[in-house]
Amino acid sequence: MSNYTMAQIVSLTGIKSHTLRKWESRYNFLEPLRTDTNIRYYTDEQLKKLLNIGILTRNGYRISKIDGMSEADMHAQVSKILLEGSPEDEISALILSVMTLNEDEFDRTVNAEIIKTGLISTITGLIYPFLAQVGVLWGVNKVMPAQEHFISNLIRQKIFTAIELLPKPLANAPKAVLFLTENENHEIGLLLASYIAQKIGWRVYYLGQNVPIENLKMVADITKPDVLVTMFIVQTAKTIETRLRNLSSQLDVPIIVSGYVENPESLTSISEQIHYLSRPDEFIPLLNTIKAH
């Protein structure tokens, strides 16, 4: 069983802290536990209930009515809502499926969104925001390690399967090298970027995790890439700047950077080659711009 702080509950459910405190004082469904120093914390079961309550309140249910619902009634109403759910509700559904390690529910939510909007829109509009919300994307997990592995492996399977079904790139396709630098291991975001680039016709050289900067010069000499794509998750600002200065001084190629970066403006000031990606939906337009040049 995991315990969650109020800040984690707010992040995972989208319910404001003042709302949680108000509900706690007025209704019976929420009784957080307290530490010896009187700080609130919440259990897995409370988080699951609050995720469902968040879905219901966003869809017009009054909290006074929810307070009288049984667990079965609440689950039934949430299931109906999710058939036509908003992205925020679908993210909550994914978090619930991951907490219970329920692969069927995870697949059902993702597959329904793919049918509605396509895989790329599902990646940029659902998977990325979901991973960011639970912290897996940026290496600040709000779930336990077993749940992180569960999420990561499910998404890897889907991406690898989707990539296998893509047609081979054209002989004159633009080329991208995707990599993580040394001591970077969170590659889900990079895998998703790999699929997106290949889907829109790029030839991708996927190098994966822990690639020394000095090796990239050799790879670039062989592949002649049109762009490099990397992400930083756990590095300090100084380390990120040092690595990008080193990379941009050796290679005259556009470099797309994303991830957990404290001061993005400091990166783009290093070199005109560097393009910081703040949102996943910026990736395709940026690739198209680089391709046009």
Side-chain angles (χ1 to χ4, degrees):
M1 178 181 290
S2 299
N3 294 324
Y4 304 88
T5 65
M6 179 174 280
Q8 288 174 316
I9 291 290
V10 170
S11 175
L12 290 167
T13 66
I15 301 169
K16 303 297 185 185
S17 56
H18 66 84
T19 302
L20 290 170
R21 293 189 184 94
K22 183 171 69 176
W23 289 353
E24 178 186 340
S25 65
R26 295 184 184 180
Y27 302 104
N28 297 320
F29 64 80
L30 184 61
E31 295 182 12
L33 305 177
R34 291 182 181 266
T35 66
D36 294 339
T37 54
N38 205 34
I39 296 173
R40 292 174 176 82
Y41 68 93
Y42 302 80
T43 65
D44 279 327
E45 289 304 313
Q46 288 170 323
L47 172 56
K48 292 173 196 173
K49 179 175 282 190
L50 285 168
L51 285 163
N52 281 325
I53 289 170
I55 292 171
L56 292 172
T57 56
R58 284 194 296 272
N59 287 274
Y61 286 76
R62 297 178 65 85
I63 194 65
S64 56
K65 180 179 179 179
I66 296 170
D67 188 39
M69 285 184 177
S70 67
E71 294 285 342
D73 288 341
M74 193 179 298
H75 186 266
Q77 295 304 314
V78 167
S79 296
K80 289 180 183 178
I81 290 169
L82 290 177
L83 292 174
E84 296 294 332
S86 68
E88 192 172 2
D89 295 333
E90 289 163 344
I91 289 171
S92 293
L94 290 182
I95 294 172
L96 279 166
S97 70
V98 166
M99 290 187 63
T100 56
L101 302 182
N102 191 326
E103 183 174 349
D104 290 340
E105 286 296 329
F106 187 94
D107 282 342
R108 189 174 295 115
T109 302
V110 172
N111 291 341
E113 186 65 15
I114 290 171
I115 290 169
K116 283 193 293 184
T117 68
L119 184 54
I120 285 185
S121 292
T122 299
I123 288 171
T124 58
L126 178 60
I127 298 296
Y128 261 108
F130 157 68
L131 291 174
Q133 190 160 329
V134 298
V136 169
L137 197 62
W138 306 141
V140 286
N141 307 327
K142 301 180 181 73
V143 291
M144 64 185 183
Q147 292 166 328
E148 180 193 0
H149 291 303
F150 175 77
I151 299 166
S152 300
N153 287 325
L154 283 180
I155 294 174
R156 279 192 182 92
Q157 291 170 21
K158 289 190 178 297
I159 295 301
F160 289 144
T161 300
I163 288 173
E164 284 294 316
L165 296 175
L166 292 175
K168 297 299 181 185
L170 298 175
N172 62 346
K175 292 173 286 188
V177 172
L178 276 66
F179 64 96
L180 298 179
T181 62
E182 289 177 285
N183 302 314
E184 289 285 1
N185 297 299
H186 288 76
E187 66 174 328
I188 290 297
L190 198 70
L191 280 171
L192 295 172
S194 175
Y195 170 78
I196 291 171
Q198 292 180 73
K199 175 67 175 176
I200 64 172
W202 284 65
R203 183 182 298 276
V204 169
Y205 298 90
Y206 189 85
L207 307 184
Q209 309 163 328
N210 282 301
V211 180
I213 292 290
E214 55 268 23
N215 288 5
L216 289 165
K217 178 68 166 60
M218 178 188 67
V219 172
D221 287 342
I222 296 170
T223 61
K224 303 294 190 294
D226 298 281
V227 69
L228 305 177
V229 181
T230 192
M231 297 183 178
F232 292 99
I233 311 301
V234 298
Q235 305 304 319
T236 64
K238 183 177 180 180
T239 298
I240 294 171
E241 289 188 25
T242 299
R243 291 183 179 178
L244 289 177
R245 286 186 190 281
N246 189 0
L247 193 57
S248 60
S249 68
Q250 294 187 52
L251 299 170
D252 186 20
V253 181
I255 304 167
I256 296 177
V257 180
S258 69
Y260 187 68
V261 178
E262 294 179 10
N263 184 10
E265 292 78 13
S266 68
L267 303 187
T268 54
S269 67
I270 293 171
S271 168
E272 293 182 355
Q273 295 168 241
I274 297 171
H275 306 268
Y276 178 72
L277 196 69
S278 60
R279 302 195 317 270
D281 58 2
E282 297 173 348
F283 188 45
I284 292 176
L286 184 50
L287 285 179
N288 288 336
T289 298
I290 291 170
K291 180 181 176 181
H293 286 77

